[in-house]
Every structure is written in structure tokens, then in C-alpha cells.
Amino acid sequence: MKAKVIITPKPEVLDPQGKTVQTALEHMGCTGVGEVRVGKYIEIEMDGDADTVKAKLSEYADKFLANPNIEDYRLKLED
Amino acid sequence: MKAKVIITPKPEVLDPQGKTVQTALEHMGCTGVGEVRVGKYIEIEMDGDADTVKAKLSEYADKFLANPNIEDYRLKLED
Amino acid sequence: MSADPAITPELIAEHGLTPEEYERIQEIVGREPNFTELGIFSVMWSEHCSYKNTRALLKGFPVESPRVLVGAGEENAGILDIGDDLAISFKIESHNHPSAVEPFQGAATGVGGIIRDIFTMGARPVCAINSLRFGELDNSEVRRLFRGVVSGIAHYGNCFGIPTVAGEVYFDKSYEGNPLVNAFALGVLRHDQIARGAAKGVGNPVFYVGPATGRDGLAGAAFASQDLTEESAEQQRSAVQVGDPFMEKLCMEACLELLATGAVAGIQDMGAAGLTCSTCETAARGGTGIEIDLAMVPQRSPGMTPYEILLSESQERMLIIVTKGREEEVKRIFDKWDLPWAEIGFVTDTGQMVVKNHGVVVADLPASKLADDAPIYHREAKEPAYLSEVRSFTLAGVEDVEDPTEALEKLLEWPSIASKNWVYRQYDHMVRANTMVNPGSDAAVIRIKADSVPGGDDREDFPEKLVALAVDCNASHVYLDPYEGSKAAVAECARNLACSGATPIGTTDNLNFGNPHNPELFWQLKESVRGLAEGCTAFDAPVTGGNVSLYNQNPDGAIDPTPTVAMAGLVEEERHVTTQWFKEEGDAVILLGEPADTEDALQGLGGSAYLQVVHEAKTGQPPRCNLEIERTLGTTLLGLIQSDLVKSAHDCSEGGLAVALAECTFSDLEARNTPRFLGAEIDLSTVENVRLDALLFGEIHGRVVITTSELDAVKAVERAKLLGVPAQRIGTVGGKQLKLRTSTGEHHWEVVGLHDLWWNSIGNAMA
Amino acid sequence: MKFAVLQFPGSNCDQDCVHVLQNVLGHPTRLLWHKESVLGDVDAVLVPGGFSYGDYLRTGSIARFSPVMQAVKEFADQGGPVLGICNGFQILCEAGLLPGALIRNRSLQFRCEHVYLKVATQESPFTQAIPEGKLLRIPIAHGEGNYFCDAATLEELEARDQILFQYADRDGDVTDHANPNGSLKNIAGICNTARNVAGMMPHPERAAEEALSEDDGRLIFESLIAALNPASAPA
Ligand SMILES: Nc1ncnc2c1ncn2[C@@H]1O[C@H](COP(=O)(O)OP(=O)(O)O)[C@@H](O)[C@H]1O
Ligand SMILES: [Mg+2]
């Protein structure tokens, strides 16, 4: 099954990349742009049923895929 | 409204980052891991209704947010 | 092997082969080639791999000297002796078309490719340099390419852990849409560590190491060997190669470790034309044959055809021929570095390159004919029409400079002259702790210490060496006079080395030109090679290798002919290392060489940056380059440096004497945002019979600005004259201004203001 | 003094650290492969710069799971001195041996250049022998050196005098203009509360010889050596 981990910078963390994208969009004439945050998107093929995959991935997301000091994450499973 | 752009490496393109994460997960003892692909996740606050936002973002995703040579992208709107 | 297309004239043409070439192929094979074999011939006989249009010309290069251990064309890169059993291997290579299509990855994989060429020789890569050309920065597409290329080079080099210590960047309309990305790497080894790319020893197993093969970079060599069009680019877009510097670092460490075991009979990287080129070239060099089975090749994408596997240019892969019985050592070392490997075949005595897929023969071709018997063409050359216009240009209609103050400011701000810090600050130029002169002076200087040698060197007292590097080419001059301009490129490179205290020992060049089927463009190439050859001979710096990149054009025409020249030199002692910036208040400023050429009607202004910037004219005969004068200048300057007389040395190139002096006053950087300024008072009022614009901004060759202590000034001038180099004291270092007196008046600039324009120009354009 | 320099796949300043410790300063130094799980007989550990595992995912995120890092953790827990430089700093933060994290430079570009460092405290084995008021001129070379931690952590860092180095201008003033990457409080280096583990983004090993135009970096290594062996400390 395919699992997805979406990792975003915590709200209080400075996100220079997001800021740059925002400014660049404005410069290109894209109006009405508010805050932009840039994070990561990880797709993982994994054996097992939804519960096992979820359990495993939360473990590895907590300790490896995301850094809790600066990032939040969400898991999504596809079927 | 909040729009999300999910950017993933094209299937044919080498994804060294994904490969490295995959190997790392295996080394850490995470079993049953198949292919891993690492992409980007961009959240954009934007004024306007769904259609306008979608139209605008597709334009900029093509020419700026994603690299069409090596990346695919998907747009998602939240309400 | 169901769906192989039939061989039709159209298919042959699509593969870039002419009907005559196809006939020749039939003769060689003794039958109709199949689709896979046609693909193999098409890449091996592409310009990129076979040099079919340039081989005859390149024969004119000097390639010998007592230092040459491996000469041009023998292997992936040449090798030069630097004494005490040590040697260096270096080469430059282009990645122009891939960078036009995908700047970041194109440039990154260019760096990866040249690094592989160097460690394939058994050398540890210790530094990189690069030479770049783009259109003008007011175009957003140009900025995108420029940004992408620079960050791609930075990404690959920084992550791999090689310092990028020097380079050059020019901006000119002719490169719009067809940027030039020439990457250079240099490695170090002991004489006994030289590795060869030959398939030796019948029965020896052939190993594939590195990541799996994918559909990326399909037929990249062929792509590089045709005009860059929207169509060809589109095709290549579907096969962009992605570089993995981390993988390459592991691959290099593993290969060097493996070479040290002595278990390797031959080694070759998979660069252009991938598996095809590496198998047939190793067999050809070894005078043997080779047989591989594609089923054993690690594959990233399912369902790849033999054609695709053979022509893929997936990165970071190596082919290693192992002495039979020592396979375990390969496996142990590659496992240690967590690198994929596979045994894919063996060496034979048949002279054939036999490729099987699951045991079924898919290609069976004579290896040496494939590698060495590509057709050789002597293309037609015709002097370009534009040159008559160039020759008839005079200064008659050009008014002398009205406002020299503003002109100098404009020149310093011109991106081709402005500081390249926006570029080189993105490159790690200090990793390996060897960089003695960082980017920003005439040439970079690195030291070679024990850990620069593969596996280290445990000599009690390691004989440290100092190597200087520069890369140069004023392509405007080459465009206006390919022969003189090319000689001058060599001379400038040698001059830059001399300014840093080094004697040149070898050259590598990258010939970036347009379509060779156009007689006018081929004439440029021919004349340029003649000039380069004379230049390298004059400086006793043989060509040890290089690269040819033709078909550099876009719909608007060809690029300016750009033969980039990179030279390596040796500095004898640490105290000889010299930089371009002024050192102390009160030092004497001396000009070596003539302030002006009073016999030349254009007085050095033909093709100058000044004419381009202030009069928007890229025309006129560029200054002549007298190699005898250049050589004497070089040896004289070195003599002065070695007698400890010289405190700084900077040559005059684009922008002439005024720009050189300005750079001397402000180019020393203490730290981030902390330049050091040392002005000067310069008196040129005794120079007569020359226009002011020519005196300040003319670009005649053979000139270097040096400083000495007040005490040594007379001695230095006298000694230079004695050795046949015109020399005169022109001023004194000091103050916060650059003051310039001429027979017509006095001009002055605040150094801080000039620096600001020069330092920030490119950064501002990119903001 | 005996040093160990860790070596991860992708480390690229490992040799430079060995060179300085062994050839310049004359102390026996070993490279320690990441798959080793014992440190052996060492007095101090250096975690060198580079791009461990290509810096993929996040800088330092994979390296910290190497067997050798478990041993380093134990060594540090027992008070053994550990210095992380550049990627080493990133790894120590990821491993939780130091607080905070290093994120992308605010310019989004890699930066290689010399900076001036103000030594914020001499109360650490890494800074104790640096003369009072001495500004260090040392190069940086990183794309992700922007130090970040939450407000509570920062308060604690300051309260406990854990900030070792700050980017400064030539006059020693800690200004935004002097900040090359956007770090909080211009932080260039910190230590843990026990003061035996430190991390810094600048590369002292690249500034430890006159031949490379600068030897201020030596002071950091000499501090550490003197701290470990007070008898040999310069008077
Ligand atoms: N692409 C680059 N990469 C690294 N260093 C560069 C690059 N371009 C220019 N430099 C450095 O900037 C300085 C000035 O370059 P350039 O103007 O070409 O010098 P010169 O006219 O003396 O050949 C040199 O030290 C050169 O090595
Ligand atoms: Mg120069």
C-alpha cells in the first residue's frame, strides 16, 4: 500500500523558502497571495494492512522522517 | 483559501533522495518498505474563489513552482 | 526482441548517420546492423565520442613534454609529472546542451562526469574550476539558466566535497538559449597509481558498479552532436539525467580503495554513451574483446530494451575489469560502501564486443573498429564574411572618451567584468583545506599534501607541491579574429599563472563552436586551433586533453567561437605565491609591458569591453598577441617574484589598465562584507601619442601591474628592462582614492564607490 | 591527547580534521567508520563536516542513527568532549545532544566565505584558552546553517551561557548585517548544559595554518587540548 507523509515547518519556525516563493509569486504578478509554507511530501510503498503501516510509519516519522523541533507531520494512507 | 501544491519527481526520473531514505529506513529495521519518493509540499494562502485560484496556480506551478523537466505536480484546494 | 523497428533511411538519418556512414557500417559489420547495433554506432560515431569533424585539426596541438606520463587522447584524462613521484591529472569537459535543457541537473551532471574522468585515472580529485557563458542578464530566461547552472555546480561539487577554486563567467547575447558550461577537475596521484581503461586479461570478469541503469540521458552524446533546436531539446527533456553527488563520492572512495588492492585490470567510467562506450573502448584499448549480458545489469525501470540499456547515460556508474580470482575483494569493498555492483561479463580474445540479453546475442561488433574507425572529415573552411567589416573598422568615427570617470564605473559594473562573488560564494572553495589563493585573484593556488594522494602517502617528509590554475577566453576577441584571439586566450591564462607565481606546465581546452558543416564556422574552428597550438607551444604547456562541443547554436545563429583554455602551473615555493591586490601604503606601482601600442591604429580598442559598453559596438580588430613578448614577460615576472621583489601582481585584460588598477585597489576581501581598500596615485602623464580611451581602456596584451616596496622599485624596473621587458614606475599605493593623472588631465574615484559597483552588480541583477 | 574523527558516508571534512589534529597540532588521531559501535581509547571526538548521506531528507538526519553515534552519546553522557563542525553540528542537533536545529540559510544559497566570530563565553573547554576579546576569522561553508530553536530554549541557552560563538562584524558587533544565514541571535556555535558537547557552523580546521592565510581556528582546538590536559596549558 502507498502511504504519504506530509511534513510542514512549524508555524513558529521561519520558512525562508516559503517567504521566497511568496515574494517571487508577487513579483511575477500573481495577486492575492498570502502566506506560503514549503514542506516535504514523502510517498512510501509499504507492505501490511493499514493499521500496521500506520503504526510503523508514525514511529519512523516521529524519530526520523520529521524533526519535532521544527516540523509537524501528517500521515495519509491510500488504498 | 488555502491551496496546496504537491510536487513529486517524475516516475522515470532518478530520485536519489527517495532512494537514500528507503535504504535508511531498511537499515533502521523498518521492514516491508518498497519504493520511496520524496517531493515537495507547498501551502499557499490565496484570495479568490476556487476556480480563479486553481487557474492562477496552475499557471505558476508550470512555470515556477515545479520543474517540468523532472517533476509532476498536483493542485488541491481546501475550503 | 519483438518490436525493433526496421532499419530505414529515415531511421538512419534520425540517428545522425549519413548514407555513406551507413555503408561503411555495413562494410565493417559484414551485414545489415540490427536496431541495437545502429544505436551503438550512432553514439560511438557522434561528434561527441568520435571527434570525426575535428580529429584531423586536433593533430596540430603540441602534446609532448618530459612531464607527460599519459598523453592526450590515450585515456580519459592526461597525466603530468610534477616531481617526487607525484603527478596530476586534469581535464575540462562541456555540458552545454544538457544545461540548456535543464540547467541545474545539466550542470551538476557535468561536474559529476568530469570528476569521474579523473578518478578513473586512479587520481584523487582535489579541485574543480569552471567556465560559463550566458546571454545577457536583463533577460529573465537567461537569469533562470544562470541561477540553475550555478546552483547545480554548487550542489554537486559541495556535496561531493571538492573545492571549486576558480572560473570565469561571461555574458553575451550570442549565448542566449545556448549557454556554455565547461567543467574542469584536477586530481593527484603517485606514478605507480596510474590506472588504465583497458580490458586486459582474457577471462577476467567485468563488473558494473554504481546505481541501476534507467532511461535517463538516452543518447545524450548524439544530442550533443546536433544543433540545439526546440525539437531536439524536447526529446532530451524526457530523458533528463539527475545527478547524485553522494553516490559519486562513495563510488570514488570505493574505486580508489579497490585500485589500491591491485585487483583491478582496467577501469573506465560510463560517461557519454554509457555502457556502450565503456565496453567497446576498454576492449579496443586492451586489444581484446568483451562479452556482457544485459540481464545482469541492474535496471531501474522495468521493461528496458537492450537499445535503451546500452545507450542510457544514467550517472555515477563505472565499469571495472577485475583480475580473475580476486572478485571477492571487489565485493567486500563495494559492500563496505553500500554500493550496488554486478558481474556482467568477461574479457575475450575475439576482438568483438558481444552483447547478450538473457543469453541471446543482441549486438556483435568489432570493438576497435567501432571505437577507432569512425570516419574522419576534413570540412570545408571559408573566411566569414563579417570579418571584412571588422577589419575596416577604424576609430575615426569614434570620439575619444568624454567622461572617463563614468566610463570606468560602467565597465566595472558590466557583468562580464564585475566581481563573480555571486557565483563563487555558492561554491565551497576551501574544503580539503588546501586552497591557498581563493577565487578573486588572477589564478587559484592549491597545495598538494599527503592526504591529496589516494590512500594517503606515508613519506616521512612529504614533498608538498603548489599548483596554480586559471581558465580564460575572451570570446569577443576570438570572434573578431579567431587566430589572434585564441593565441591570446592561452597567453592570458599563462599570464594569470605567472601573476600568482607559477610556471605553466600543461593545458586542457574546450572548443565550443557552432555547426562544423557551415564553412564559416569551421573556419573559425580551424583558425582557433592554429592559435591555441602556437600558444601552448610557446609556453611549453602541451595539451593533455580536452573536449570539443560543436553545434552550439540556436535559431538566431552560432555562439561566439569560444575555445576555453585552462592551464595548470607549478609554484616552486610558498613564498612565491602572489595575489593581485595592493598590499601596503607607500608601495611602488610598476607597469610591466607597454602602456600603449602606438603602432596599432586601434591602440588596443578593437573588440574591447570599452567599445562594447560605452559605444555598444562589438567590432574592430582585437589586439595582436605576440607570444615571444608574452613569454618573456612571464619569465621575467616570475624571476622578480622569485627574488622576493613583488608584493602583488595583476594582469591587464578586459577593461584595460584602468580596470586592472581599480581591481588592485579593492579586490582584497578580509571577510564577509569586509573588503579592504587601498587606493593609489597613478601618473601616466609621460605617455604620449595615444588617445585617452586607448590609454585607460585599451586591451593590448603583455601587461602586468605589480607592486614592490619603495626600496625595491628601482631594482625591479631595472631588472625587468635588462631582461627585455618594458617597465616603468607609474605610481604609489595609498589613500582611499584611485587617482589617475594623464597628459590631458586628472581623474579620481572613491575606491569604496567603485568597489560597490563591481561587487554588487551581478547580485543586484539576480535579486 | 587522542582524538577520534567520525567518518560517515558523505563526510568530506574528515581528512581536514585529521590533518589539523595530527599533522599541525601533533596529536594521534583516528578515523572512526560509522559502522563501528565502540570508540576505543579516545579523549575527544570530532564530528566533521560534509554531506553525510548526501544531506538527503534533512541534514544530519540519517547519520545520527549510525552505530557510532550511539557510542558517541554514551561517551558524551560520561563527560567526554565532543565537537561537531558544520554537518557535525547538524548531526549533534538531530541526535538531541544539542538543542535546536539548523535550517536553510535565509538567502536559500550555499555560502562559502570568511566570517568574524565573537567568542561569547570563555566558560567551555572549546573556548577557555581564547584570549579575551579576540575576534576569530574563520570560514563558513554551508547551505543550512540558520540556527533555530524555540523561545524557551533560546532563553535557556542565554541563561546558562551556552552560546559559544556569534557572527560579528570587524569591530566585534553582533549585527544583522554580519549574520550570513539568518541564525537566531547570530548564533554560530553552542554547547550543551554540561558544556562538554559543542557544535559550530564555521570550520576552524580550515583556518589552522598560516599557509591558508589564517590560523585563528587553532585556538579552538588548542583550548580543547589544554582543557583535557591542564598541565600542558600555555602559561
Ligand atoms: N565561475 C566561477 N567559479 C569560480 N571562480 C570564479 C568564477 N568566475 C570567476 N571566478 C573568479 O573570479 C576572479 C576573477 O575572474 P576573471 O574576471 O575571469 O579574472 P581574469 O580576468 O583575471 O581572468 C578569478 O579569481 C576567478 O577564478
Ligand atoms: Mg587576470
Side-chain angles (χ1 to χ4, degrees):
Chain A
M1 105 167 9
K2 196 181 258 177
K4 293 156 187 181
V5 191
I6 294 167
I7 300 168
T8 45
K10 284 198 167 165
E12 68 269 25
V13 175
L14 185 82
D15 174 17
Q17 230 181 323
K19 191 77 208 144
T20 307
V21 171
Q22 185 182 340
T23 326
L25 282 173
E26 283 161 1
H27 275 190
M28 291 185 205
C30 183
T31 51
V33 186
E35 196 181 23
V36 178
R37 311 282 292 172
V38 179
K40 275 177 236 159
Y41 179 84
I42 309 182
E43 274 179 7
I44 306 183
E45 274 297 341
M46 205 163 208
D47 299 342
D49 59 31
D51 286 344
T52 347
V53 169
K54 200 156 197 161
K56 265 202 224 170
L57 274 188
S58 329
E59 182 195 339
Y60 286 98
D62 275 331
K63 70 173 191 192
F64 166 53
L65 297 174
N67 177 343
N69 284 324
I70 46 172
E71 294 167 330
D72 295 323
Y73 73 89
R74 301 199 289 287
L75 289 182
K76 279 193 178 174
L77 298 189
E78 206 174 65
D79 23 30
Chain B
M1 100 167 12
K2 194 180 261 176
K4 293 157 185 179
V5 190
I6 294 168
I7 299 168
T8 46
K10 282 191 178 169
E12 281 294 315
V13 166
L14 178 75
D15 175 19
Q17 176 151 239
K19 187 81 203 147
T20 308
V21 170
Q22 183 184 339
T23 320
L25 282 170
E26 284 160 3
H27 278 190
M28 288 175 199
C30 183
T31 51
V33 186
E35 196 180 25
V36 177
R37 311 282 290 175
V38 179
K40 264 185 268 174
Y41 178 84
I42 309 183
E43 272 178 10
I44 307 183
E45 274 298 342
M46 204 163 209
D47 298 343
D49 60 30
D51 287 343
T52 348
V53 169
K54 199 156 199 158
K56 268 200 220 170
L57 276 186
S58 333
E59 183 194 339
Y60 290 101
D62 270 332
K63 69 178 190 195
F64 167 62
L65 299 173
N67 177 347
N69 289 331
I70 50 176
E71 293 169 334
D72 292 324
Y73 74 91
R74 297 201 291 288
L75 288 182
K76 280 192 177 176
L77 299 187
E78 206 174 64
D79 24 30
Chain C
M1 307 306 105
S2 47
D4 272 359
I7 312 277
T8 59
E10 291 74 41
L11 191 72
I12 293 166
E14 262 171 48
H15 279 77
L17 295 164
T18 63
E20 297 75 45
E21 286 170 347
Y22 185 68
E23 260 172 45
R24 190 174 174 136
I25 291 171
Q26 284 173 309
E27 247 167 64
I28 288 177
V29 187
R31 58 179 162 77
E32 293 278 326
N34 63 34
F35 178 59
T36 304
E37 290 170 334
L38 185 73
I40 292 174
F41 269 102
S42 93
V43 290
M44 288 310 294
W45 285 13
S46 68
E47 178 64 31
H48 191 85
C49 292
S50 74
Y51 295 93
K52 59 187 171 191
N53 293 303
T54 47
R55 219 189 258 212
L57 284 185
L58 299 181
K59 287 213 156 56
F61 281 147
V63 295
E64 276 167 36
S65 90
R67 289 191 186 274
V68 175
L69 300 177
V70 173
E74 276 180 54
E75 297 276 348
N76 284 293
I79 299 187
L80 290 180
D81 178 19
I82 56 168
D84 293 304
D85 210 22
L86 296 169
I88 53 175
S89 176
F90 58 85
K91 192 168 128 185
I92 194 165
E93 190 148 278
S94 63
H95 233 209
N96 302 340
H97 287 189
S99 304
V101 168
E102 164 48 41
F104 182 94
Q105 295 296 345
T109 51
V111 173
I114 193 63
I115 291 175
R116 262 191 322 277
D117 272 336
I118 298 306
F119 73 75
T120 301
M121 298 308 300
R124 175 175 281 282
V126 296
C127 72
I129 65 180
N130 59 88
S131 165
L132 312 175
R133 302 283 187 290
F134 301 91
E136 287 172 358
L137 285 174
D138 53 12
N139 174 320
S140 68
E141 177 59 14
V142 169
R143 291 197 298 274
R144 185 184 73 86
L145 291 175
F146 180 38
R147 180 176 285 119
V149 163
V150 170
S151 51
I153 293 174
H155 165 69
Y156 209 100
N158 297 352
C159 182
F160 181 86
I162 191 167
T164 302
V165 296
E168 55 166 4
V169 190
Y170 285 85
F171 305 91
D172 184 282
K173 227 172 165 47
S174 79
Y175 305 105
E176 203 172 294
N178 195 134
L180 301 186
V181 177
N182 295 175
F184 165 109
L186 178 142
V188 176
L189 71 171
R190 269 192 315 267
H191 292 189
D192 64 349
Q193 291 175 315
I194 297 176
R196 298 281 180 171
K200 286 274 168 66
V202 174
N204 277 342
V206 174
F207 277 74
Y208 168 113
V209 302
T213 297
R215 289 198 172 87
D216 37 357
L218 269 190
F223 172 55
S225 308
Q226 63 193 49
D227 285 1
L228 185 58
T229 61
E230 200 30 61
E231 219 171 56
S232 69
E234 192 47 51
Q235 209 175 0
Q236 208 54 23
R237 241 169 235 137
S238 60
V240 166
Q241 297 154 269
V242 170
D244 183 357
F246 169 57
M247 184 59 76
E248 177 136 312
K249 159 87 173 160
L250 302 187
C251 195
M252 174 205 54
E253 294 293 355
C255 286
L256 293 181
E257 202 170 314
L258 180 63
L259 284 167
T261 64
V264 174
I267 181 167
Q268 166 92 23
D269 69 309
M270 295 187 214
L275 198 50
T276 298
C277 186
S278 54
T279 46
C280 79
E281 279 192 3
T282 46
R285 284 202 199 101
T288 53
I290 201 163
E291 179 174 328
I292 59 171
D293 194 322
L294 298 178
M296 312 301 290
V297 172
Q299 292 162 40
R300 204 171 74 230
S301 312
M304 288 181 73
T305 64
Y307 181 96
E308 288 172 324
I309 299 170
L310 280 165
L311 268 54
S312 160
E313 291 183 6
S314 288
Q315 297 286 304
E316 292 94 21
R317 303 174 302 158
M318 304 288 289
L319 190 81
I320 300 181
I321 292 115
V322 179
T323 306
K324 195 160 183 59
R326 303 188 65 174
E327 293 86 340
E328 284 312 312
E329 287 166 76
V330 182
K331 298 174 187 174
R332 177 177 56 78
I333 289 170
F334 280 85
D335 285 344
K336 169 186 163 188
W337 289 95
D338 293 320
L339 279 167
W341 54 265
E343 193 177 325
I344 61 167
F346 51 90
V347 179
T348 68
D349 60 2
T350 61
Q352 293 291 108
M353 165 193 182
V354 178
V355 182
K356 293 183 173 169
N357 193 22
H358 296 279
V360 179
V361 175
V362 294
D364 187 349
L365 300 169
S368 69
K369 291 221 154 71
L370 192 51
D372 305 326
D373 279 11
I376 291 183
Y377 296 117
H378 301 265
R379 296 268 169 228
E380 186 196 339
K382 190 176 119 227
E383 189 182 290
Y386 69 82
L387 283 180
S388 59
E389 200 176 309
V390 165
R391 292 205 188 97
S392 61
F393 175 82
T394 66
L395 288 179
V398 180
E399 274 191 42
D400 199 348
V401 60
E402 223 173 86
D403 186 351
T405 319
E406 195 196 344
L408 177 58
E409 288 167 358
K410 271 191 170 169
L411 279 166
L412 290 170
E413 207 179 2
W414 196 46
S416 292
I417 288 182
S419 167
K420 305 304 181 299
N421 72 83
W422 185 87
V423 176
Y424 62 69
R425 288 197 301 165
Q426 296 187 52
Y427 304 152
D428 188 337
H429 41 259
M430 302 181 213
V431 60
R432 302 200 62 82
N434 291 328
T435 315
M436 303 188 52
V437 177
N438 289 314
S441 193
D442 277 322
V445 180
I446 63 159
R447 68 175 171 189
I448 286 170
K449 60 184 191 304
D451 66 17
S452 309
V453 179
D457 189 302
D458 45 21
R459 272 179 259 188
E460 190 62 37
D461 224 336
F462 183 81
E464 283 196 1
K465 304 284 174 194
L466 302 172
V467 173
L469 292 167
V471 57
D472 285 287
C473 177
N474 181 334
S476 302
H477 287 187
V478 180
Y479 170 73
L480 298 170
D481 187 337
Y483 168 70
E484 288 293 333
S486 299
K487 275 197 306 188
V490 180
E492 186 182 347
C493 220
R495 217 155 59 211
N496 280 331
L497 292 185
C499 286
S500 65
T503 311
I505 60 168
T507 310
T508 176
D509 66 292
N510 207 326
L511 301 171
N512 305 276
F513 285 78
N515 190 324
H517 296 272
N518 176 329
E520 296 195 341
L521 299 180
F522 194 72
W523 187 88
Q524 293 178 336
L525 179 59
K526 206 170 154 181
E527 284 295 286
S528 171
V529 167
R530 184 164 71 91
L532 293 178
E534 277 180 33
C536 294
T537 307
F539 291 102
D540 227 350
V543 174
T544 63
N547 178 246
V548 177
S549 168
L550 306 181
Y551 306 94
N552 286 293
Q553 14 206 112
N554 52 49
D556 292 337
I559 59 161
D560 280 358
T562 313
T564 25
V565 177
M567 254 190 199
L570 286 178
V571 184
E572 271 174 29
E573 287 181 42
E574 197 182 314
R575 66 187 170 86
H576 301 162
V577 174
T578 307
T579 49
Q580 72 182 31
W581 38 89
F582 291 153
K583 298 298 180 305
E584 257 175 302
E585 297 252 352
D587 284 346
V589 184
I590 293 167
L591 177 67
L592 301 181
E594 299 283 5
D597 180 349
T598 42
E599 271 160 36
D600 166 19
L602 297 183
Q603 301 184 337
L605 284 178
S608 65
Y610 171 79
L611 277 192
Q612 293 183 53
V613 172
V614 176
H615 295 282
E616 285 167 20
K618 190 163 87 181
T619 189
Q621 283 247 264
R624 311 258 132 198
C625 174
N626 181 323
L627 292 168
E628 199 45 52
I629 289 180
E630 293 286 352
R631 220 168 68 130
T632 315
L633 172 72
T635 49
T636 302
L637 174 57
L638 270 175
L640 296 178
I641 288 176
Q642 289 169 351
S643 335
D644 296 320
L645 294 174
V646 178
K647 293 169 89 169
S648 75
H650 186 27
D651 75 318
C652 298
S653 55
E654 284 90 359
L657 183 57
V659 164
L661 286 166
E663 286 173 348
C664 293
T665 67
F666 58 51
S667 52
D668 186 12
L669 190 73
E670 266 178 45
R672 181 172 188 279
N673 294 335
T674 322
R676 204 166 134 269
F677 301 134
L678 258 182
E681 279 189 44
I682 305 295
D683 187 351
L684 298 167
S685 54
T686 56
V687 185
E688 283 172 350
N689 294 326
V690 58
R691 290 166 51 131
L692 183 58
D693 51 6
L695 176 62
L696 298 184
F697 309 117
E699 296 177 2
I700 61 168
H701 296 294
R703 297 183 299 165
V704 173
V705 173
I706 64 168
T707 54
T708 68
S709 71
E710 178 66 40
L711 215 59
D712 288 334
V714 174
K715 204 197 300 179
V717 169
E718 288 313 315
R719 187 159 323 165
K721 283 185 179 162
L722 202 66
L723 293 168
V725 173
Q728 65 188 91
R729 168 133 185 206
I730 57 169
T732 305
V733 176
K736 295 284 169 224
Q737 291 189 329
L738 174 61
K739 293 188 188 161
L740 243 163
R741 182 164 348 136
T742 67
S743 60
T744 55
E746 208 182 293
H747 313 281
H748 53 86
W749 297 265
E750 292 298 326
V751 173
V752 58
L754 292 182
H755 173 268
D756 199 44
L757 293 171
W758 174 79
W759 182 261
N760 295 315
S761 170
I762 293 180
N764 288 343
M766 295 305 290
Chain D
M1 222 55 54
K2 291 184 285 298
F3 287 92
V5 175
L6 306 190
Q7 195 178 32
F8 301 98
S11 293
N12 60 35
C13 304
D14 44 338
Q15 290 290 350
D16 305 356
C17 289
V18 172
H19 169 70
V20 167
L21 292 168
Q22 188 153 290
N23 305 340
V24 179
L25 298 168
H27 294 272
T29 305
R30 275 186 307 126
L31 282 172
L32 209 57
W33 186 237
H34 66 117
K35 291 178 185 169
E36 301 288 333
S37 48
V38 281
L39 298 185
D41 178 20
V42 298
D43 300 306
V45 172
L46 252 75
V47 193
F51 284 68
S52 58
Y53 298 91
D55 266 1
Y56 291 133
L57 192 63
R58 271 189 326 280
T59 59
S61 63
I62 302 179
R64 77 148 164 129
F65 291 99
S66 293
V68 78
M69 281 308 291
Q70 195 49 45
V72 169
K73 229 174 198 154
E74 285 159 20
F75 178 76
D77 285 345
Q78 287 156 22
V82 177
L83 173 62
I85 298 170
C86 198
N87 194 221
F89 185 12
Q90 295 161 340
I91 294 170
L92 293 175
C93 286
E94 279 283 337
L97 287 170
L98 290 171
L102 293 142
I103 59 175
R104 282 285 283 278
N105 293 353
R106 63 181 162 186
S107 65
L108 297 185
Q109 285 178 348
F110 190 94
R111 275 284 174 274
C112 177
E113 56 196 347
H114 280 85
V115 295
Y116 285 114
L117 292 181
K118 175 179 160 172
V119 181
T121 177
Q122 287 169 298
E123 296 295 315
S124 87
F126 311 94
T127 53
Q128 48 113 18
I130 301 174
E132 178 93 55
K134 166 91 182 157
L135 266 189
L136 307 180
R137 181 177 176 265
I138 292 181
I140 54 167
H142 60 247
E144 309 195 19
N146 183 345
Y147 183 79
F148 176 84
C149 63
D150 60 33
T153 310
L154 182 61
E155 210 170 288
E156 195 161 317
L157 282 177
E158 290 185 303
R160 300 193 186 204
D161 197 22
Q162 285 171 255
I163 301 174
L164 297 183
F165 305 107
Q166 285 170 294
Y167 302 107
D169 63 17
R170 182 206 250 139
D171 303 320
D173 293 328
V174 177
T175 63
D176 188 57
H177 194 57
N179 189 336
N181 52 28
S183 285
L184 277 182
K185 297 271 172 193
N186 283 33
I187 286 175
I190 58 168
C191 66
N192 62 351
T193 49
R195 314 195 83 73
N196 65 317
V197 178
M200 63 189 300
M201 287 314 295
H203 286 275
E205 81 282 12
R206 297 184 187 181
E209 292 165 274
E210 270 302 335
L212 303 182
S213 86
E214 203 57 74
D215 61 358
D216 286 354
R218 255 178 104 129
L219 293 170
I220 294 169
F221 299 112
E222 283 169 348
S223 271
L224 178 58
I225 290 161
L228 286 166
N229 185 7
S232 76

